[in-house]
Every structure is written in structure tokens, then in C-alpha cells.
Amino acid sequence: MTAQPSSLSPAPNGSQPQGIPGLCATAMLLATLLDQESKLIREMKIREIGPLQSEKARLTALCGTIVKSIDVSAPVAPALKDKWLAVSKRLGEAAIENEMALRVGHAATDRLVSAIVGHIEGRQKAASGYGRPVHARAAARRPVMAGAAVDRQL
């Protein structure tokens, strides 16, 4: 069973995360959500992907808001910098994997739809045309006249 989108919350008390630590926490939640979505795509559990979309959009927007609130002139501890580098690498990898899964799923869907449309068009072309349609059963029941001779001696 998949995690509910509401269970993904960067701060337990509902307050908005701040600074680089908040960005790290939110980015990890987003990476986890992207991994979850990629897994669902690979497992073809399409109905379970829909509910994740609003949470993915919320976390993405929250990351943007936190980035804008960070004071770029403030000093950053080396440990926090290392943590952000690890988290951002993880988020980047999750985003790339998610994009690949979405592209493969989209390409497979396009091929399936094209095959169905091609099959339907082929059947419609065979059925359409000028003249009276000949049904397979009717054609099989008609006697075939192989050769005929006409007697003209009267």
C-alpha cells in the first residue's frame, strides 16, 4: 500500500520549514514522493498516482518558497553544506528516474493507442467501399459455376 499524501509533511506541527535545514527536509520528502511515483508507474498502478500529484506540486512549491527565503549572505556550516549536497543529489537522481519512468509510460501508452486506432481503421476500410457488401457466410453458400456450355442447336 502506498503512503497517503497527507502523511508527507515537512514539519510535524504544521509550521513552514525554514532555511537550509527546512529545504533539506522538504527536498527529501519530494525525492521520496518521486521515487514512490516512479515505482507506481513501473508497476502500472496508474490509479494510485493521481492522489500523489497535489502533494508533489505542494512540495515543489514549498521548496521554491524556502529557497527564496534563504539569506545567501549568511554563513553555512560545512556539515549543513554537505547535507544539502547529498540531499540535492538524491533529489536530482529521483527526478531523473521519475522523468524516465513517465516518458516510458507515455511512449507505451502512445503505441497502444496507435495500435488500437490502426486496427479499427483497418476494419473500417475493409468494410467501406462501393457496391453491396459481401458477407463471408453469403459468399460461402453461393454455388460456384466453374464452366458452362450453351447448347445453340434448336
Side-chain angles (χ1 to χ4, degrees):
M1 185 76 186
T2 61
Q4 295 299 321
S6 59
S7 68
L8 298 173
S9 176
N13 60 3
S15 65
Q16 184 168 327
Q18 298 292 317
I20 296 174
L23 181 61
C24 288
T26 306
M28 279 304 289
L29 287 171
L30 182 57
T32 302
L33 186 77
L34 290 173
D35 287 341
Q36 184 180 6
E37 182 181 46
S38 297
K39 182 181 178 221
L40 291 172
I41 291 168
R42 284 190 304 273
E43 294 174 354
M44 299 300 291
K45 295 182 178 178
I46 307 304
R47 291 183 184 194
E48 294 179 36
I49 295 171
L52 301 178
Q53 300 311 300
S54 61
E55 183 67 4
K56 184 168 71 169
R58 185 187 76 78
L59 289 173
T60 302
L62 185 57
C63 281
T65 302
I66 296 170
V67 165
K68 290 177 187 173
S69 71
I70 293 175
D71 182 10
V72 294
S73 63
V76 178
L80 190 54
K81 187 183 258 186
D82 291 341
K83 182 177 181 180
W84 170 243
L85 289 174
V87 169
S88 63
K89 181 180 179 196
R90 165 98 165 72
L91 179 59
E93 290 168 351
I96 289 170
E97 182 183 337
N98 185 260
E99 182 182 359
M100 294 288 280
L102 288 169
R103 286 179 189 244
V104 167
H106 184 69
T109 302
D110 284 350
R111 279 193 221 145
L112 177 63
V113 170
S114 294
I116 292 169
V117 168
H119 179 73
I120 291 170
E121 286 177 345
R123 289 183 68 192
Q124 287 178 344
K125 285 180 183 176
S128 66
Y130 294 107
R132 189 174 181 171
V134 177
H135 297 288
R137 286 188 209 165
R141 282 189 254 147
R142 288 189 189 149
V144 177
M145 187 181 218
V150 180
D151 187 7
R152 294 188 181 181
Q153 298 177 352
L154 279 177

